Amino acid sequence: MASFVTFGLAAGSGGLVGVVLGLVGGGGSILAVPLLTYAVGVNSPHVAIGTSALAVSVSAAGNLVPQWQAGNVKWRCAGAFSLAGVLGALAGSAAARTVDGQSLLALFGFVMLAVGGLMLRRRRGEGDPDVRLTKRSAPVLLPWLLGIGFAVGLFSGFFGIGGGFLIVPGLMLATSMPLPMAIGTSLVAVSAFGAATAASYAVSGLIDWTLAGLFILGGALGGLVGARLGQRLAGHKRALTITFAGLVILVGLYVVARGLPALLGRA
């Protein structure tokens, strides 16, 4: 019976993340690790991070198709950014596995506080929609794409999150592309970073494949619900984002409180 309850909680947690993603866009996956740890009851923070990385990667890949069809994906920019980011993600995930699980959760909580704060800021949508990575533009664009991509991938791999909240502004900084294109292009990197992180954890046996599958299934269904709700509440998206940012901050405070004693004990 306990296993059925666990499976239900995994699917429900994935559904909650999917609804949030459908309502407010990027950032919802930040809740995956706390949900797997405290709601589903995954005992190892490392397993929670590895499982979350896999779920985030699959979800991002699924959401990439409509963005591509809408013309919002700059593939060459995404390729350069993702290539550097995958190397960073592999390095970050390797480093994270050497850190005590509870200490890692405390650090993750601080990241949630930062993410919540960033989500409260308004993002500007101006930019150059015609930007392309070519032989002519490469001397200017490529160093930025590779440098920022590696840094964001390192962060993403360490904490096992998609990193979209950093990838989107990173792409805009590196290329000056407008916000809608940065969001679409970011899904290539989120999928790649998550896959690299998940592969690194999988080699060490730190993924619960059953829970990952249920989380992904729940997320897909929740995403459909969230997308419909998002259409109905389109005029209130800013309010929804602020509400979600507040939730992320509250959960972050809880995660920090739970993991801080272990972090201070190692100091």
Side-chain angles (χ1 to χ4, degrees), residues 148-191:
I148 296 175
F150 182 84
V152 174
L154 188 70
F155 188 90
S156 174
F158 189 84
F159 290 105
I161 56 179
F165 63 95
L166 287 176
I167 296 172
V168 170
L171 284 168
M172 294 176 71
L173 175 63
T175 67
S176 297
M177 68 176 65
L179 178 61
M181 289 183 174
I183 292 174
T185 304
S186 75
L187 292 175
V188 179
V190 171
S191 182

Side-chain angles (χ1 to χ4, degrees), residues 91-178:
S93 59
R97 294 198 302 275
T98 67
V99 179
D100 170 71
Q102 292 303 316
S103 298
L104 189 59
L105 278 179
L107 294 172
F108 189 89
F110 284 116
V111 171
M112 294 188 71
L113 297 179
V115 172
L118 287 172
M119 292 186 72
L120 293 174
R121 298 179 59 187
R122 289 185 179 273
R123 293 189 293 191
R124 300 178 66 181
E126 298 87 348
D128 179 12
D130 297 320
V131 65
R132 294 179 59 198
L133 180 59
T134 63
K135 288 183 179 180
R136 186 174 182 178
S137 64
V140 175
L141 295 181
L142 202 55
W144 284 94
L145 286 167
L146 295 179
I148 296 175
F150 182 84
V152 174
L154 188 70
F155 188 90
S156 174
F158 189 84
F159 290 105
I161 56 179
F165 63 95
L166 287 176
I167 296 172
V168 170
L171 284 168
M172 294 176 71
L173 175 63
T175 67
S176 297
M177 68 176 65

